[in-house]
Amino acid sequence: MRRITGLAFLLVLLTIGGCSEIPENNDPVIGIWAKTQIEQRDASSQLMREEWIFNDAYLGRYHRYNGNEIVEQTDFRWEAQQGIYTIEYPGLDRGTDRATIKENEESILLEDLQGGILALRE
């Protein structure tokens, strides 16, 4: 009986010790970012919107809207190294984005490495 109790205790101890805690990711990029533009076509204008939803598992969801219609969507991977965010879009014919977070008086934005605005925090 002692042998079974000792074995059960050892099994419980190994099970508890084998569980590892998932590290918390508090990166400032986590959340929803968007870029909205109005495109002029002939006599009409069309609202174009891009949206990035970053999550804490270094993944996210990208949507591109034409008016209210989703015209493109995919999952993306992201990573951060020394303040530079690299965003890859597998399955889309879209290049990798590289950006940094900049803050001004009005908003927080993702700025590409050439100084252009990729998206604003919502």
Side-chain angles (χ1 to χ4, degrees):
M1 187 64 165
R2 285 183 181 222
R3 180 175 258 177
I4 292 173
T5 305
L7 188 57
F9 179 73
L10 182 62
L11 185 60
V12 168
L13 190 61
L14 288 174
T15 301
I16 292 172
C19 296
S20 61
E21 187 175 320
I22 298 172
E24 191 172 341
N25 185 350
N26 292 326
D27 198 288
V29 79
I30 294 172
I32 300 173
W33 299 77
K35 181 176 184 179
T36 305
Q37 297 174 297
I38 297 176
E39 289 189 359
Q40 296 292 337
R41 291 190 180 156
D42 301 326
S44 66
S45 61
Q46 188 66 27
L47 183 68
M48 299 293 291
R49 176 180 167 87
E50 292 179 282
E51 182 179 84
W52 293 261
I53 304 170
F54 289 82
N55 70 31
D56 63 347
Y58 299 99
L59 298 171
R61 187 86 172 147
Y62 169 78
H63 299 96
R64 188 166 58 90
Y65 298 89
N66 187 349
N68 291 328
E69 180 183 336
I70 295 176
V71 293
E72 195 170 49
Q73 68 180 4
T74 191
D75 294 327
F76 65 84
R77 294 185 299 264
W78 66 273
E79 68 178 13
Q81 291 183 350
Q82 299 173 345
I84 298 176
Y85 295 89
T86 303
I87 308 163
E88 296 177 338
Y89 307 88
L92 279 187
D93 188 23
R94 179 185 172 117
T96 299
D97 286 322
R98 293 173 44 95
T100 59
I101 294 178
K102 300 290 183 187
E103 195 168 342
N104 62 29
E105 296 164 1
E106 298 92 36
S107 61
I108 302 172
L109 50 100
L110 277 176
E111 187 177 271
D112 65 27
L113 299 183
Q114 290 73 37
I117 296 174
L118 182 64
L120 299 169
R121 178 180 287 288
E122 290 199 334

